[in-house]
Amino acid sequence: MGSGSPATTPNARSLPPETLEARVDDLWERYADCDLCAYDCGVDRTAGRVGTCQVDDTAYVSTYFPHFGEEDCLRGHNGSGTIFLANCNMKCVFCQNFETSHEARGEPATPAEIAEMALELEARGCHNVNFVSPTHHSPHLVEAVRIATEAGLDLPIVWNCGGYERPEILERLEGIVDIYMPDVKWGEDAAAATYSKAPNYWSNVTDSLREMHRQVGDLRLDDTGLATGGLLVRHLVMPNHVESAQRVLEFLADEISTKTFVDVMAQYQPYYKAAEAEFYEEINRPITADEYAAVVDHARDVGLERLYLDRSMLAER
C-alpha cells in the first residue's frame, strides 16, 4: 500500500525552463498521432481529424469563473478558479454537463488566452486554477501554465479529470499539476464500456491513480483548510452498482493510501441519455439512501480515513 506524500511544495512548477519547454513540445507533437488519453485514437488532429473527444488540435473553453460548488478545500471563501474545457475523452450517457462535454459548446482559445483566464481568476481571489475535462487539451494547458507562471501565477493547478488517462502522459505533467482530482467512475469494465464508452477503464484508471499518487502523494491542506497539493478522488455512487463503488474504495485503501481524500458523491440523477429507460433502465433512477450508506460503510470498513460525505443522504437512512 502506498502512503505519505512526496517531498513536494505547493505550486511545484519549479522545472527548469528548458525542461518545461521540452514537455510542451512533446505534448504538441502527440496531436499528430494522438495518444493523449486512454482511447489512444492515433488520429492526426493537426490535420483537422477529430478523435473520440470530437475535437482537432483546437482547444475550446466553455466558461470560466470562481466555482463555489467544489469541495470545501478547493472553494474556500473565494471559489475555485474553474476553467471548463469543451468536449471530453469519455462519453458518459448520464453526463449532467452534456451540452459542454458532448456538444462542443465553447469558444476556441489559445494557450495565451487560457493563461489570461487563469491570471484573471487569481486576481479575483480564487484559491486555485481548476482545469475541468483537461486531458484531450493537455498541450494547450501545459503551455498556458508556463505562460501564466512566467507572468506571476502562484496558485495550485488542479487536474479535474475522469480518470481515463495514460500514465505516460501524466508523467509529462509532473511538477506542473499540484492537485490531481480524478472522478473515478467505475470499478469494473463492463459498466464503463456501456455507460461511459470507455473500454478497459479499470486497468487504465488504476494505473493512472498510481502515477498520480506517486507524483503528488496524499492531499495536503494548509492552516486554513485549503488544498495545496496531492490526490483528491471523487466517486459518484451509481444506482445498482454498489459493488463497483466498493471495489474502487478497496483499491484506494489497499493500493494507494488509507489517507486518500475521497469525496463519496450522492447526487446522481439520470441526466442526458440515462433518462431513456428502454436502453439504460439499470441507471434510470437516483440512488437510494441504503445504496449510499452501504458504500460509505464499506469505505470505513476498508480503513479509508478521509471521507467527504453527503450527510443529508446518510440522515435519510
Side-chain angles (χ1 to χ4, degrees), residues 123-146:
R124 295 173 68 177
C126 292
H127 305 293
N128 45 69
V129 174
N130 183 352
F131 292 127
V132 181
S133 297
T135 307
H136 55 301
H137 291 316
S138 300
H140 291 80
L141 302 182
V142 172
E143 183 158 356
V145 170
R146 179 184 65 78

Side-chain angles (χ1 to χ4, degrees), residues 246 249-250 253 258 262 264 292-311 314 317:
Q246 291 174 336
L249 299 169
E250 288 171 8
T258 55
V262 186
V264 185
Y292 186 72
V295 174
V296 172
D297 288 346
H298 194 73
R300 290 168 172 157
D301 288 344
V302 298
L304 289 169
E305 303 172 13
R306 305 170 74 189
L307 301 174
Y308 191 84
L309 305 175
D310 188 321
R311 303 292 178 182
L314 291 173
R317 191 181 186 186

Side-chain angles (χ1 to χ4, degrees), residues 32-259:
D33 186 19
C34 192
D35 63 352
L36 291 172
C37 82
Y39 270 109
D40 195 6
C41 293
V43 302
D44 185 355
R45 292 170 65 182
T46 65
R49 296 181 63 193
V50 300
T52 303
C53 58
Q54 295 302 300
V55 289
D56 56 18
D57 63 348
T58 305
Y60 292 84
V61 173
S62 172
T63 186
Y64 67 101
F65 59 92
H67 194 349
F68 291 91
E70 304 288 60
E71 290 80 356
D72 293 344
C73 60
L74 294 180
R75 70 182 175 221
H77 293 293
N78 298 325
S80 174
T82 303
I83 300 177
F84 279 90
L85 284 302
N87 293 96
C88 183
N89 68 320
M90 298 179 69
K91 297 300 173 190
C92 299
V93 300
F94 51 88
C95 183
Q96 66 178 5
N97 298 314
F98 63 89
E99 297 94 344
T100 297
S101 297
H102 291 248
E103 298 177 359
R105 297 188 185 177
E107 296 297 325
T110 65
E113 290 169 333
I114 296 171
E116 284 299 319
M117 296 174 196
L119 291 165
E120 179 185 332
L121 291 167
E122 181 179 43
R124 295 173 68 177
C126 292
H127 305 293
N128 45 69
V129 174
N130 183 352
F131 292 127
V132 181
S133 297
T135 307
H136 55 301
H137 291 316
S138 300
H140 291 80
L141 302 182
V142 172
E143 183 158 356
V145 170
R146 179 184 65 78
I147 295 169
T149 301
E150 290 176 354
L153 181 73
D154 188 29
L155 294 178
I157 301 298
V158 182
W159 200 258
N160 185 342
C161 63
Y164 199 45
E165 315 296 298
R166 293 187 68 236
E168 180 185 355
I169 302 303
L170 293 174
E171 289 173 4
R172 272 67 174 173
L173 306 180
E174 185 169 8
I176 298 166
V177 171
D178 300 288
I179 300 169
Y180 282 106
M181 187 164 64
D183 182 352
V184 182
K185 297 183 181 298
W186 303 103
E188 47 103 2
D189 284 339
T194 300
Y195 301 122
S196 296
K197 314 306 177 187
N200 302 314
Y201 181 82
W202 183 241
S203 62
N204 280 292
V205 76
T206 51
D207 287 347
S208 294
L209 285 166
R210 290 187 181 98
E211 173 59 22
M212 292 174 184
H213 189 259
R214 181 196 69 77
Q215 290 182 27
V216 299
D218 298 327
L219 192 70
R220 301 180 297 284
L221 308 179
D222 66 15
D223 292 340
T224 69
L226 287 171
T228 60
L231 176 65
L232 189 165
V233 176
R234 290 172 166 173
H235 178 70
L236 178 64
V237 180
M238 300 288 292
N240 292 306
H241 284 86
V242 167
E243 291 184 1
S244 175
Q246 291 174 336
R247 187 182 187 192
V248 170
L249 299 169
E250 288 171 8
F251 173 82
L252 292 173
D254 294 343
E255 302 291 335
I256 302 300
S257 169
T258 55
K259 298 185 183 300

